[in-house]
Structures are given as structure tokens and as C-alpha cells.
Amino acid sequence: MFPRVTAILVVQHGGDRLRETLDALAAQRRTPDALAVVLMRPDQATRDAVASAHPSHVVQVEEPLPFGEAVRAVERLLDPPASDADSLWLLAEDTAPEPGALAALVGTLETAKSVAVAGPKLAGWDAPERIVAFGRTLTRFGRSVPLVDGELDQGQHDGLSDVLGVDPAAMLVRHAVFRSLEGFDPALPAADDALDFCVRARLAGHRVEAVPAARVRFAGAGVAGQAMASGGRAARRRAREARAEELHRRLAYAPAAIVPLHWLSLLPLALLRSVRLLLTKAPGAIGGEFRAALRAMATPGRVARSRRVLRRERTAPWSSIAPLRMQSDELRHRRQHAAEERRERARGRVEELQFLGTGGGWLLLGAVAASVVLFLWLVGAGGVGGGALLPLSSDLGELWRNAAYGWRDVGPGFVGAADPFSGVLAVLGSAAFWAPSAAVTAVWLAAIPAAALGAWFAASRLSERGSLRVAAGIVWGLAPTFLTALADGRPGPVLAHVLLPWLAFAVFGAATSWAAAATASLLFAAVVACAPSLAPALLLGWIVALAVSGRASVRLIGIPLPALALALPLIVEQVGRGTPLSLLADPGLPVGSATPTTWQLALGQPVAGWGGWETAFGGAASALVPAPVILAVLLAPLAIAAVAAVAAPRLRPALLALAVAAVGFATAVGATAVAVAAAGDA
């Protein structure tokens, strides 16, 4: 007699995923003998889609139910199992099995009479080549962990069979066992429902097997198991649910004499774990920790029910499942691997930047639009002048002679070393060899998009959140210092501002890549050539990077060498003349400007004044609100973000960002305090 299989389908959202699941059910080589459906707040389209599958039972509820309760709601209506071989196939609307999935699961139950539960290999809904989940187990202290999670499926786990537990989505369970164990525990609605059921089945003398030949596409929408949504709020919710269900299992599994001690320890443990969360910069999870403890303490009736069901069916000792728990060495290996992944991400090894998905495309489009609006008059121009801008030599040979040791046409003239910035101009002019001055025009047109895009890429090394990446691009691309340099025609500061975020992006990757280290060294040399006053801050950052990079420092140690090679002749010459401070002078044509105060620098103003706010709208704005107050209000979000950085989950990037800001501000103040050139009273 062939076993009877009843598929139980839980539907909450409907839509395309439901239709794909129904189509996958119809395409099974071994089709279910009956289909029972639970509909939660269905619309007419969902009801029509389910009706087309001709279910034998339909239960409609007007409120969302946990997966286990939804399954029990329709299972009560089914006929009692005719034999021990009759089975239930537990499906959600986002579980689309491959054609041979049910046949493989049923074959496992038929060939091994001791197996009561069979679980499939859950693959990604949109990425079937990746394993979403395949088997679960417990640590020594009762924490639930997946055996396989998020790996590329290359058949490396196809030998896995005997497991402690499986996930609820698409699991096949003997109907008689499901009824005797009273289904999933209502006290475990999301995280550990199927694992707890499998543990109770194991203790009742049955086996649980993972079936690699049964593949099921799974979206993880939260109908069966926890929702796999991204974002900090979703992660905190998953952690809270998992902790609450772990504490419930602890009370349900513990010997009766130990239960009061466990109950009394819940709040002290929550306090200790909260201190740990605070020290590890995860304060957002503290509230969930206490909520989980209070929930476990406030539900003694649920604990009593769980203990009663477990005690009634238990026939095997707890020691029988000990070999199936995750061993300490494996757990330690996983923690080391997770720590290495975090370090790699901190160093910049990110598999996917997700440029379009995290707003990079929109940022680039907006920056191009801003550049067009500001510099439309430059389109088609052969050059740009004014301020510190001078036309480049029209002859490439002359450009490169100016970058070498020789005659310097400054003042009365002299023979000496070239400023490294001349080499930058030679490279820039060579890019437009037919008209070198056009390269400067191109720089002005591309400056804002290039700076904003560089800041987005630099931020991608520190955060996965698209909003933070875009905010970094906007703030850097529209910084007052940058816009002032563009308006005053200062090529050195403009190029330095554009190149700095790209230098940061390359340095973060230099810890793991020789190519990135080489790129960083060239960008370091270019930035120092364009803005020599930044050299002390950059060297300080390089020293800190060497100190904290461990074995990766071998790639970082050579970053300043190209800059030193370019500047060494000039250093020897200026030190020999007794004018070492001249090395800090901005390259190019000197342009006078009023020195800002420290408060003006703190509010982002590179020159004296308040960025034009004092004269905005004919002075009406500053008459109502002082210009410094306007600037302080505009910059308040950045200040708040800087202060809040110390509470960020990742302390190292936060401290790095604050240190960079402090050194940058010190550099700005120091630059205003040193006069490196004078012409009369200017």
C-alpha cells in the first residue's frame, strides 16, 4: 500500500510566489494525494488561485497565524492517518519544490521506517544556486544554529543525512507522529518551531533526516520560519525572537529541579548580556534582550504545556541527541570564520558593491545634473582661467620639461627642482594632448560627479546602508571647501578634494590587494602634490594603518614612497635654503584670501565670512537669524551623526572616521596659522 501524502499549504500574502508554488506542486513527479490550504485574510485573486488547484480542505482565517498554528488549524479537519506511512507535507506560499522533491522525501520515509521527519535542501528563490538552509542543530548551551546557511551549492553537503532538526518549510512528517507530538509548540511561533518538534521526535525514538536530493526554492517571507528581510530593525527582531524561543526551550528542556533556578536567572542574564551588547556597540538589541526574558518569565502555562508534551512522549535519554549537537571545535571554527569575514569587510573586501541597488546610480545622476547647472557655460570651451588658473603649455614637451629639474620661471628665475604638482599637470595635459588646457576644463566639469562618486565608494568600505553612502556622496560633493575652490579657480585643492575619497577607497582595499596598494600609492602622491599641507595628516594616517594592520602592513608600507620620490629633490632644495615651511605652500599661482577664524573653519568655511549667508536675500536672512546660527543648524545633522558614531555596531570604522575628522580639522587650523608666502601686504 502506497503511503498517503497530504500537502498542507499556508497562504498569507498570495501573489506571484503563490502561483509559482502551485505550479511547482502540479509539476511533481510524485504528486500529493490531497491538498489542504490555510488562507489568511485572502483577497479574491488569492482565493481564485487556490481554487484552481482543487484543494480538498480550505480553512480561512481573518488574522495572521504562526506557521505551526496554521498547520494545526487545517490538520484537525483531516481524517486520522490510516497507517504509520501516511505523511504531511508542510508548505508555505513561498516554497516552490523542484519536480523530484516530494518523491525524494517520500522515498526516505519509505526506505527507513525509523525516520519520522525528512527535510529538503532549501535554495534561494531568486538564486537557486545558493543554499538558504539545510539542517539545524543546537549548541551545548541550547542555542539554535543552522548546519548550512548561505553557501554556494556545489554538492559539498550532499552527504549530510542524519541531523538533529530541519527547517519547517517543505518538511515531510509522518502524520501519526505529528498528532502524537501535538504538532509544533505554540510557544515557539517563528524561530525554533520545527527544531523543537524534531528534538521531541528524536526523544520519542524517531529519526530526522536531511534529503539533499529534495530541492525547494524558498523566499523566506516569514510565513514559515523567520523572515529573511534585510535591515537593522529586521535583524533585531530576529534576534529577539530567537532569544525568546531559546529561553522557552531552556525552561522546557531543563530537569524539574533546575527550572526555578533557570527562571530566576533570566533577568540577571539579560542584564549581563546587555552589558556585553553595549560593549560590542549593539545597544539597539538591549530592549529585545529584556523583552525576551520577560516573555519567558511571564508564560509559565506555556512552559508547563511544553514540558507535559515532552514528558509524555519521551522514550530516549537526552544523551541520545548529544552526538548531533554542534561540537565545541566546530562552533569555535565558525566563530573564527565569522570574525575573519568581519575583518575582511572592514578592510574593504566586499563581494558586491551593489552600486545601483544602494543609490549610487541616482547619486551620480544628481551630481552630473548639478555640474551641468553650475558649469554649463564651460561646455565646449577650450580652456578656463581666473583665480589660480593659468593656461597649460600647448606643447607636451614643454609640459614635461616643466615637471623636471631645470629653469624655473619664478620671479627673476632660477635653476632648481620642479614642484611635484607640475608632474600632475603634465599627466593631466597629456590626457588631452591635442589641447592640454581643455583637460582643465574637463576637470571642472567632472569635479562634482567624480568627488561625489568617490565619496560613495569610500563609504561603501564602511557601510552597507545605501542611505549612508548617498549622504556621504552628497556631503562631500557639495562641501563648501570644494565649491569655494571651484569658484576661486584653485586647481590644486580641487584635484585633492576629488582624489581624497578615491585614496581612502584604495587604502581600505590595500590590506588585501597588491593592486589596490599600488593604486593607493599613486593617489597618495597625487594628493600630496596637489595639497602639500595634507602631507602631515596623511602620514599620520599611514602610521596608524601600519600599526593596526598586522600582517597586511607589508602591503601598506610602500604607499608614501612615490610621493617621497617626487618631492625629495624639492625637499632637499628647500631645506638647504633654510625655508622648509615653503614645502607646505599651495602649488600654482598664489591667490590671496582672507584667513577664516577657528569657528568659521568649524562650520566648514575655508575663507573668512559665513558662506554668503550674511548677505543672502539682501541681508534679510541674517537680520532674522545670525549667519553662524544658520550654518550651525544646517550642519547639525552631521554633528549629531559624528557623536552617534560611538554607538554604531562597528567601533573601528567609527573611531577611524572621528580620528580623520579631528586630524582634518587640525590641519585646517594649522594651515591658517602659517603664512608661507607674502607679496607686499597681500
Side-chain angles (χ1 to χ4, degrees):
M1 181 178 178
F2 290 102
R4 178 179 175 82
V5 177
T6 302
I8 296 180
L9 177 63
V10 180
V11 179
Q12 184 172 343
H13 307 292
D16 293 338
R17 287 176 179 167
L18 171 61
R19 285 187 284 272
E20 288 191 47
T21 297
L22 292 173
D23 291 341
L25 273 176
Q28 291 298 299
R29 290 197 288 268
R30 201 288 191 196
T31 57
D33 299 285
L35 173 64
V37 182
V38 181
L39 298 176
M40 304 183 200
R41 293 180 179 176
D43 54 22
Q44 189 58 46
T46 300
R47 285 193 290 267
D48 292 343
V50 169
S52 66
H54 307 293
S56 59
H57 297 79
V58 176
V59 174
Q60 182 172 321
V61 295
E62 296 305 321
E63 61 180 7
L65 295 176
F67 185 69
E69 292 188 32
V71 170
R72 287 287 288 171
V74 72
E75 189 273 335
R76 295 188 188 100
L77 306 179
L78 301 179
D79 295 332
S83 70
D84 290 341
D86 289 356
S87 306
L88 302 176
W89 196 19
L90 310 185
L91 300 168
E93 62 184 20
D94 58 344
T95 51
E98 292 187 356
L102 181 56
L105 293 171
V106 171
T108 299
L109 265 62
E110 286 181 332
T111 56
K113 302 302 182 182
S114 60
V115 175
V117 180
K121 181 188 292 183
L122 298 179
W125 185 272
D126 296 316
E129 69 279 2
R130 287 199 171 271
I131 304 173
V132 172
F134 189 41
R136 299 192 74 85
T137 187
L138 295 173
T139 66
R140 179 183 176 187
F141 295 103
R143 184 168 60 90
S144 169
V145 290
L147 289 175
V148 184
D149 178 23
E151 296 184 21
L152 188 66
D153 188 6
Q154 298 176 314
Q156 69 272 35
H157 298 291
D158 285 356
L160 185 64
S161 59
D162 210 24
V163 295
L164 181 58
V166 296
D167 287 86
M171 66 181 281
L172 186 70
V173 55
R174 295 187 188 274
H175 194 174
V177 174
F178 188 85
R179 284 204 168 182
S180 66
L181 296 177
E182 299 186 18
F184 291 172
D185 191 337
L188 305 173
D192 294 339
D193 48 1
L195 175 62
D196 170 75
F197 179 85
C198 293
V199 169
R200 289 186 282 124
R202 280 276 181 184
L203 294 174
H206 307 289
R207 290 173 51 215
V208 179
E209 281 212 12
V211 185
R215 288 178 52 88
V216 176
R217 290 169 54 222
F218 181 54
V223 181
Q226 289 185 294
M228 296 188 295
S230 59
R233 180 177 299 178
R236 289 190 293 271
R237 179 180 178 181
R238 286 194 296 270
R240 183 184 71 245
E241 292 174 345
R243 180 60 177 169
E245 300 192 13
E246 177 187 343
L247 294 178
H248 174 85
R249 287 188 294 100
R250 183 175 297 176
L251 295 174
Y253 296 168
I258 307 297
V259 172
L261 294 178
H262 276 309
W263 190 89
L264 291 172
S265 70
L266 293 182
L267 279 180
L269 279 176
L271 181 61
L272 292 176
R273 286 171 60 91
S274 297
V275 173
R276 175 182 172 274
L277 291 171
L278 190 63
L279 294 176
T280 56
K281 303 301 178 181
I286 293 176
E289 189 69 34
F290 279 98
R291 286 178 62 183
L294 292 173
R295 171 182 160 186
M297 295 178 70
T299 54
R302 291 187 173 187
V303 173
R305 177 198 178 276
S306 301
R307 293 182 63 85
R308 174 181 56 80
V309 174
L310 177 62
R311 183 174 59 253
R312 188 189 67 225
E313 297 295 328
R314 178 183 163 192
T315 60
W318 282 98
S319 58
S320 64
I321 68 170
L324 297 172
R325 290 178 181 263
M326 180 164 287
Q327 302 303 311
S328 300
D329 55 348
E330 173 64 18
L331 187 62
R332 183 167 56 252
H333 174 75
R334 288 195 174 201
R335 287 173 177 168
Q336 292 172 350
H337 182 68
E340 181 61 28
E341 286 186 342
R342 289 193 297 270
R343 285 193 293 268
E344 287 179 356
R345 295 185 73 84
R347 293 168 183 163
R349 281 183 60 177
V350 182
E351 291 185 2
E352 296 179 0
L353 288 174
Q354 297 180 342
F355 179 72
L356 296 178
T358 54
W362 289 108
L363 174 67
L364 179 59
L365 184 62
V368 170
S371 181
V372 170
V373 170
L374 291 174
F375 301 114
L376 181 62
W377 52 278
L378 282 178
V379 177
V384 58
L389 285 170
L390 292 175
L392 295 182
S393 301
S394 57
D395 179 29
L396 280 183
E398 186 178 352
L399 265 180
W400 285 102
R401 282 193 297 272
N402 291 337
Y405 188 89
W407 178 256
R408 307 266 76 85
D409 190 13
V410 178
F414 63 93
V415 176
D419 192 296
F421 186 61
S422 299
V424 175
L425 294 179
V427 173
L428 191 64
S430 298
F433 58 89
W434 61 94
S437 292
V440 180
T441 305
V443 168
W444 248 245
L445 288 171
I448 292 178
L453 195 61
W456 185 94
F457 273 94
S460 72
R461 298 296 201 190
L462 302 174
S463 174
E464 295 180 356
R465 295 180 61 180
S467 58
L468 295 182
R469 297 181 182 184
V470 171
I474 293 174
V475 170
W476 189 259
L478 299 179
T481 50
F482 185 38
L483 298 180
T484 300
L486 286 168
D488 288 353
R490 299 175 182 267
V494 167
L495 288 170
H497 191 95
V498 170
L499 295 177
L500 269 173
W502 293 105
L503 171 61
F505 179 74
V507 167
F508 279 121
T512 56
S513 168
W514 284 106
T519 302
S521 65
L522 296 178
L523 290 171
F524 187 99
V527 170
V528 171
C530 294
S533 58
L534 293 179
L538 292 177
L539 288 173
L540 178 60
W542 171 69
I543 293 171
V544 172
L546 285 179
V548 301
S549 294
R551 289 178 296 176
S553 60
V554 68
R555 295 186 179 88
L556 303 178
I557 197 168
I559 286 180
L561 293 182
L564 179 63
L566 285 175
L568 189 59
L570 188 65
I571 292 172
V572 172
E573 192 170 88
Q574 294 297 338
V575 171
R577 292 178 180 177
T579 56
L581 287 181
S582 297
L583 294 170
L584 299 177
D586 284 340
L589 181 68
V591 177
S593 61
T595 302
T597 65
T598 303
W599 278 110
Q600 288 168 337
L601 285 173
L603 294 176
Q605 302 306 309
V607 295
W610 302 104
W613 284 102
E614 65 273 25
T615 58
F617 308 106
S622 59
L624 295 173
V625 181
V629 175
I630 296 175
L631 279 173
V633 171
L634 292 175
L635 294 175
L638 289 179
I640 294 172
V643 173
V646 296
R650 296 167 64 188
L651 181 61
R652 184 176 174 181
L655 292 178
L656 174 64
L658 290 173
V660 169
V663 174
F665 182 67
T667 300
V669 173
T672 62
V674 178
V676 295
D681 59 354

